[in-house]
Amino acid sequence: MRFVVVVFPGSNCDHDAWYATSRNLGHEAQYLWHHDTDLKGSDCVILPGGFSYGDYLRCGAIAKFSPIMAAVKRFAADGGLVFGICNGFQILTECGLLPGVLVRNRGLRFICKDVLLTAATRNSPFTNEIPAGAKMRMPIAHGEGCYTADERTLDELEADDRIAFRYVENPNGSMRDIAGVLSAGRNVLGMMPHPERATEPLVGSTDGLAVFRSLVSACSAAK
Amino acid sequence: MSEVTPEVVQAHQLTPDEYERIVGILGREPNLTELGIFSVMWSEHCSYKSSRLHLKKLPTKGPRVVCGPGENAGILDIGDDWCIAFKIESHNHPSFIEPFQGAATGVGGILRDIFTMGARPIAVMDALRFGPLDDPQNGARNQRIVSGVVEGIAHYGNCFGVPTVGGECVFEPSYNGNPLVNVFALGIFKRDQIFYGQATGTGNPVIYVGAKTGRDGIHGASMASAEFTEESKQKRPNVQVGDPFMEKLLMEACIEAMATGAVSGIQDMGAAGLTCSTCEMGSRGGTGIEIDLALVPQRETGMTPYEIMLSESQERMLLVAHAGREKEVLDVFSKWGLDAVIVGRVNDDGKMRVRNHGVIVAEIPSRELADEAPLYNRPYTTPLRTVPMEAPAFQSKGLRDDLLTLAASGDLCDKSWIWQQYDYTVRTNTIAGPGLDAAIVRIKETGTSIAMSLDGNGRQCYLDPRLGAKLLVAECCRNLACVGATPIGTTNNLNFGNPERPEIMAQLVEAIEGIAEACEFFDAPITGGNVSLYNETLGDPIFPSPVLGVVGTVATGLPPGIAYRAAGRDLVLIGGVGTADEVRMGGTQYAKQVLHQMWGLPPQIDLAFEKRVQDAVRQIVNAGLAETAHDVSQGGLAWALAEGTFQNGIGAAIELDSDLPPELLLFHEGPSRVVVSTVNLPHVTAICAAAGVPAPVIGQTGSARLTIANRGETLIQVSVSEVRQIWSTALESALHTETHA
């Protein structure tokens, strides 16, 4: 499977995503620069964590205007797999590929710690390999991760089975404990926790691998 | 202020003698711009004029040392063609004046020191010292400073994308008017990727890159070299404002530019900004640099040459490219959207020549400016101390309550409120993060990991700077041994008061000599560091506070933690209960938190014995025989045992056999002791016996209680969850204590 990792000025988990997919998962991964417009035949585009364009104005607000995002939007519209982690999730909500918005954490402080998550649905290319009910341990590291949307949107997300992940103990005040959501087409996922930072025993957890393995399954099933 | 009068000279904190020296070097009177340039380069902060003579006593050589003190950071060879660059730097004065930006730019400055050498930063740690949060006069201000400093460090490090993997935080009244913010950073690179801050090759272009120059931070270095007075609070405009996003781009661009092969030398603009980088690069290269200030990107209009040369605007670098290849460098910076402008050339007459629109505004010999700052052999007497030598009579009112008092104290309580604000997992190399004895960051490209320990102990250093400093080196090395690592080098941050006072100078001299002796002994040479003097407010000096960062190497793997993992494990006290007496209890946490007094001396240390203990522990850990390993330090044996219980809620039953009175037995802070839990007792015992180190089995893990007895008499019995509850909530509640503003 072929992953591409988009590098915006200020991305800083680009290397983590690249290392997780190429070394720990054992698939192909390459970087794309924010000025690129060709996705190089990618099976999955990863928008990594970090502070794209300094997160000036609002997190992810400037990244949505970058040249590569136009290509990513077309790719998503054609059913391509797009995976936004942390700042990548913020970018996806800013550019309208996912509903809702990420606001300052409850408590107004940056939080870095391991959290437990559950997959709220197995019906997606990102979660199909995750055992039902399994609690997955992985780090969060964000200042603006409080998922917020109006009640109607939240009801719709639940009705359409588009909540991908929920926190076991809500660390940041996210509505309905939401840690990750899917697009209507189920091919775009945004999540605040970092599965790419939980892909080998040395760093404390391998639970994040299940997310990437789900992508591999979905991709090979589609081919 | 355009004419150079004695008043102007004095306002630049230059003495009449220093001024005469300047006139001698120039062969004429300096103009105002030149005076400003000399004043920052010859400030204590940049020139180390009070400490240089004594810093020479530090051991700086060793088989692994690639680059010792004098460059932007020290470099050590870690094998497999890989090197690390690391250094510590203080941002004490700015953090008091403006905590958020002061601390943030402290992180920015040390990161630039690392990547300017070509290394990619992979870890940051910070050593913080504040006034008490419940101080009746200053508590509210101290709370604001703590919050601001932590947020500032978090803001800069998190956005830059470097994990903050450890550190320490201490509260003492002596830091009420002078908080200490010391930031350590470490980077990695291959041996053939090292760059130095030198200008070579006559005619080579000098390129200014990064942020534009503004009026911020003018005279920051001089500010950092003076005591605080009431007027200092007016110095807020001297504090720079940091932009970690700019720094991230600058780092990526610099590393990419270096890889083209078109860069010959590079130096960041930190303290003393453009002045320092131009004269130091020329001095190191045996050349000079000529620049025209009209070409320097400027954020504001109407800046004078004086202001441009002395600005400490952040996120700027000066680099020298090979002539003819400047376009390759400029292209990289353009890709990253950064300013990069050729502002001058390298010359061969050794002069730093500064023009403005072609007109010479300063002309100074580089070497004399950079390297011939005055050197002072300041008089020193005996170290300042105003506490008694004799111990007061003390007897515990309840040992269990004493333990709970320690748990609630600012120094020993859970610091996760601080470190959870730092991204400590980014880059996925953090094997051991904050809250442990030593942090470990693995190097993906090799099978080696880097372990690091950052520590200070102002209290013990106040009682005896020489012994305190030795204890400090020993503790850092012991922390490394607990994760199986071998020390290979050290960086130090010497935070002291006013060196013009002989009793303060004596603290500095003795501490340096203590560090020198111990670093030599543990084969952990000093490769660089920082000296921060004049940490006094209204004549009140801080405790002498050397902070050491010792780094070591260890084969990549999961280290033992400090939290007991299962019941029924044997607990072995490697090194034994140690010796103690009442006089040597005077600097302990017990004396501080329970008795609220200070007296006497630090514990004694036998360096040879300490080394045997460390070697035994390292061997045990690396043989995989230790499930947990944790050194006994602040709070003594009882506290070390309690810390093992928190994470997993597994307690321990301890039975000691000692003549010591209970207060000493439980809480003395004698060195050379490590508690190990193991399932392989015979093997552990055999290693310790071979090393000639006592290793009594003191009990077993298990239950949800911590019970400590001596010769059948129960001294402490407490539920693990009760101690844990107090320990884990103390800091956050102290940060919200109502005190007088």
Side-chain angles (χ1 to χ4, degrees):
Chain A
M1 177 166 181
R2 187 165 205 189
F3 292 89
V4 295
V5 180
V6 177
V7 182
F8 298 100
S11 292
N12 61 32
C13 310
D14 44 346
H15 175 77
D16 300 355
W18 176 87
Y19 191 82
T21 48
S22 64
R23 298 302 156 95
N24 292 335
L25 188 70
H27 283 258
E28 196 186 330
Q30 70 179 105
Y31 294 114
L32 287 182
W33 186 231
H34 68 130
H35 279 168
D36 289 335
T37 50
D38 175 3
L39 299 181
K40 308 264 174 72
S42 156
D43 296 310
C44 176
V45 176
I46 298 179
L47 305 180
F51 291 72
S52 56
Y53 304 92
D55 273 348
Y56 292 137
L57 195 60
R58 277 191 317 277
C59 299
I62 303 178
K64 75 172 165 183
F65 296 112
S66 68
I68 199 161
M69 283 312 294
V72 170
K73 279 187 183 172
R74 284 194 300 274
F75 180 71
D78 293 342
L81 297 169
V82 177
F83 186 9
I85 304 169
C86 198
N87 191 229
F89 186 12
Q90 294 163 341
I91 295 169
L92 290 171
T93 58
E94 279 290 337
C95 70
L97 283 175
L98 291 174
V101 63
L102 284 313
V103 302
R104 290 286 298 276
N105 294 342
R106 176 184 59 200
L108 306 180
R109 282 196 304 276
F110 189 99
I111 307 169
C112 178
K113 64 176 188 179
D114 277 1
V115 296
L116 294 176
L117 298 182
T118 53
T121 177
R122 297 189 64 210
N123 175 23
S124 88
F126 304 88
T127 55
N128 59 66
E129 292 280 325
I130 300 171
K135 287 182 182 167
M136 309 164 71
R137 174 182 292 277
M138 60 185 75
I140 55 167
H142 56 243
E144 278 122 343
C146 175
Y147 186 75
T148 306
D150 58 48
E151 290 296 318
R152 211 178 97 197
T153 305
L154 294 170
D155 290 342
E156 265 176 36
L157 285 172
E158 282 181 346
D160 296 347
D161 194 25
R162 285 167 58 195
I163 314 287
F165 295 103
R166 279 201 163 93
Y167 298 107
V168 174
E169 273 181 65
N170 193 333
N172 55 21
S174 288
M175 290 182 165
R176 302 192 193 180
D177 302 328
I178 291 172
V181 297
L182 293 158
S183 64
R186 312 189 82 73
N187 59 320
V188 178
L189 167 72
M191 66 190 294
M192 288 312 294
H194 286 277
E196 83 284 17
R197 296 191 196 176
T199 55
E200 59 184 318
L202 267 181
V203 296
S205 173
T206 55
D207 293 350
L209 274 177
V211 179
F212 294 99
R213 286 197 183 119
S214 298
L215 282 164
V216 173
S217 296
C219 188
S220 60
K223 276 180 181 170
Chain B
M1 188 171 92
S2 58
E3 212 178 319
V4 176
T5 63
E7 290 73 37
V8 170
V9 172
Q10 198 189 1
H12 282 78
Q13 292 174 26
L14 289 163
T15 65
D17 284 349
E18 288 170 343
Y19 184 73
E20 283 313 309
R21 199 181 172 101
I22 293 170
V23 173
I25 287 171
L26 295 178
R28 60 177 166 80
E29 306 272 328
N31 63 34
L32 186 63
T33 302
E34 290 168 336
L35 186 75
I37 288 171
F38 272 103
S39 78
V40 289
M41 286 308 294
W42 288 9
S43 68
E44 189 67 57
H45 186 81
C46 291
S47 73
Y48 301 98
K49 58 191 171 190
S50 299
S51 57
R52 236 157 67 217
L53 199 65
H54 300 285
L55 294 174
K56 286 184 190 149
K57 298 170 185 168
L58 294 168
T60 58
K61 301 217 158 35
R64 290 178 181 273
V65 178
V66 177
C67 173
E71 264 288 349
N72 290 299
I75 301 178
L76 293 175
D77 189 327
I78 56 162
D80 305 309
D81 283 332
W82 283 83
C83 291
I84 55 171
F86 68 108
K87 196 182 173 189
I88 190 165
E89 181 116 0
S90 63
H91 239 211
N92 303 334
H93 296 77
S95 300
F96 177 62
I97 295 176
E98 213 298 273
F100 181 93
Q101 289 297 344
T105 52
V107 177
I110 190 68
L111 289 172
R112 275 195 304 285
D113 281 337
I114 302 303
F115 70 75
T116 194
M117 306 208 69
R120 179 178 284 276
I122 59 164
V124 162
M125 299 200 290
D126 50 81
L128 309 176
R129 291 179 158 63
F130 303 108
L133 298 174
D134 57 357
D135 188 278
Q137 263 90 52
N138 305 299
R141 186 179 71 192
N142 292 339
Q143 291 171 23
R144 280 198 302 275
I145 293 175
V146 171
S147 300
V149 163
V150 171
E151 262 185 72
I153 292 170
H155 166 70
Y156 209 103
N158 295 350
C159 181
F160 181 85
V162 63
T164 300
V165 296
E168 49 145 17
C169 177
V170 172
F171 300 92
E172 283 285 355
S174 97
Y175 306 116
N176 261 329
N178 250 286
L180 302 184
V181 175
N182 293 179
V183 187
F184 165 103
L186 182 142
I188 56 163
F189 47 177
K190 297 200 82 169
R191 213 187 156 110
D192 58 5
Q193 293 170 335
I194 299 173
F195 280 81
Y196 292 106
Q198 50 186 241
T200 52
T202 305
N204 273 345
V206 175
I207 304 177
Y208 171 113
V209 301
K212 291 177 174 39
T213 295
R215 286 195 171 95
D216 48 339
I218 291 172
H219 273 304
S222 319
M223 175 185 77
S225 308
E227 282 182 47
F228 272 126
T229 58
E230 279 303 313
E231 293 98 73
S232 308
K233 292 168 190 165
Q234 310 297 319
K235 290 196 172 176
R236 197 178 306 255
N238 284 13
V239 180
Q240 315 86 323
V241 174
D243 179 352
F245 170 60
M246 173 70 86
E247 178 118 324
K248 161 80 173 162
L249 302 186
L250 192 58
M251 188 254 311
E252 296 294 351
C254 284
I255 288 178
E256 206 170 306
M258 289 166 177
T260 63
V263 176
S264 141
I266 179 165
Q267 167 137 354
D268 75 302
M269 295 190 220
L274 195 52
T275 291
C276 185
S277 50
T278 45
C279 80
E280 283 191 357
M281 287 187 81
S283 173
R284 291 200 195 99
T287 59
I289 284 182
E290 300 195 20
I291 55 172
D292 193 324
L293 299 179
L295 301 170
V296 170
Q298 293 163 43
R299 200 165 61 212
E300 302 170 50
T301 52
M303 289 184 71
T304 64
Y306 180 97
E307 290 172 323
I308 297 171
M309 288 304 288
L310 268 57
S311 162
E312 292 191 4
S313 291
Q314 299 288 292
E315 293 94 22
R316 303 177 300 160
M317 313 279 273
L318 198 67
L319 62 82
V320 174
H322 293 296
R325 298 188 63 183
E326 40 280 73
K327 185 168 182 304
E328 292 170 60
V329 174
L330 299 178
D331 283 350
V332 170
F333 286 92
S334 152
K335 171 189 161 187
W336 288 93
L338 296 171
D339 273 331
V341 182
I342 297 174
V343 293
R345 302 269 158 196
V346 178
N347 66 31
D348 59 0
D349 67 4
K351 294 245 171 76
M352 163 188 179
R353 197 170 289 115
V354 183
R355 294 175 205 270
N356 194 24
H357 296 282
V359 179
I360 293 180
V361 293
E363 187 173 51
I364 305 172
S366 305
R367 195 179 56 78
E368 282 79 354
L369 175 59
D371 301 337
E372 294 204 355
L375 182 61
Y376 292 124
N377 187 3
R378 297 205 186 272
Y380 52 97
T381 49
T382 49
L384 171 72
R385 62 172 281 163
T386 58
V387 297
M389 189 58 76
E390 205 181 317
F394 60 90
Q395 194 181 8
S396 173
K397 296 194 187 89
L399 295 163
R400 179 183 169 280
D401 288 348
D402 293 346
L403 185 75
L404 298 181
T405 301
L406 293 185
S409 72
D411 291 353
L412 297 182
C413 72
D414 180 12
K415 301 297 193 322
S416 58
W417 183 90
I418 294 175
W419 52 257
Q420 284 186 350
Q421 295 186 56
Y422 306 147
D423 189 342
Y424 55 88
T425 60
V426 63
R427 301 201 68 77
T428 61
N429 296 320
T430 308
I431 295 176
L436 302 170
D437 286 344
I440 306 179
V441 175
R442 61 99 180 256
I443 296 184
K444 291 194 175 97
E445 293 83 354
T446 73
T448 302
S449 292
I450 306 298
M452 44 207 133
S453 169
L454 190 66
D455 231 321
N457 193 344
R459 235 174 150 69
Q460 305 285 23
C461 287
Y462 181 75
L463 295 177
D464 182 338
R466 182 183 305 269
L467 177 53
K470 283 201 268 186
L471 287 162
L472 190 52
V473 176
E475 177 168 354
C476 287
C477 293
R478 198 183 319 127
N479 286 336
L480 295 187
C482 287
V483 297
T486 308
I488 59 170
T490 306
T491 182
N492 63 355
N493 207 328
L494 302 171
N495 308 281
F496 289 80
N498 180 349
E500 293 162 41
R501 293 170 61 183
E503 68 279 17
I504 300 288
M505 193 62 208
Q507 293 177 334
L508 177 63
V509 172
E510 295 216 357
I512 289 175
E513 291 176 0
I515 292 170
E517 183 189 338
C519 282
E520 179 95 55
F521 188 82
F522 290 105
D523 294 319
I526 301 273
T527 62
N530 177 247
V531 181
S532 172
L533 304 178
Y534 298 95
N535 288 292
E536 307 201 354
T537 296
L538 304 172
D540 247 348
I542 58 165
F543 282 161
S545 306
V547 170
L548 291 190
V550 180
V551 301
T553 52
V554 60
T556 295
L558 279 173
I562 65 173
Y564 308 139
R565 282 197 235 157
R569 303 303 194 239
D570 288 313
L571 286 164
V572 186
L573 180 56
I574 297 174
V577 293
T579 56
D581 60 47
E582 280 78 2
V583 169
R584 293 186 185 273
M585 281 295 282
T588 60
Q589 287 291 330
Y590 189 80
K592 176 177 174 179
Q593 314 292 357
V594 177
L595 304 171
H596 308 292
Q597 292 185 64
M598 190 172 175
W599 71 86
L601 292 169
Q604 278 174 311
I605 182 164
D606 172 348
L607 289 179
F609 179 69
E610 171 75 39
K611 198 177 218 169
R612 291 208 304 279
V613 169
Q614 290 182 18
D615 287 343
V617 169
R618 192 160 29 240
Q619 203 182 333
I620 288 162
V621 167
N622 286 328
L625 301 171
E627 250 183 21
T628 64
H630 185 29
D631 80 314
V632 177
S633 62
Q634 294 201 47
L637 177 61
W639 185 248
L641 291 164
E643 284 182 318
T645 67
F646 294 146
Q647 194 184 324
N648 300 325
I650 297 170
I654 305 298
E655 176 66 51
L656 300 166
D657 178 14
S658 168
D659 293 330
L660 290 173
E663 296 86 353
L664 272 59
L665 176 60
L666 294 171
F667 300 115
H668 89 79
E669 295 178 6
S672 317
R673 297 181 295 161
V674 173
V675 178
V676 161
S677 73
T678 183
V679 288
N680 201 331
L681 184 61
H683 214 140
V684 168
T685 309
I687 289 173
C688 292
V693 168
V697 179
I698 56 168
Q700 279 77 36
T701 60
S703 87
R705 306 184 74 75
L706 175 64
T707 311
I708 306 176
N710 186 35
R711 294 179 177 164
E713 183 195 349
T714 298
L715 305 177
I716 288 179
Q717 189 171 39
V718 66
S719 103
V720 166
S721 59
E722 186 183 354
V723 191
R724 189 187 189 287
Q725 173 67 18
I726 292 169
W727 169 80
S728 64
T729 54
L731 182 60
E732 204 163 345
S733 45
L735 278 166
H736 300 110
T737 310
E738 291 290 326
T739 58
H740 303 289

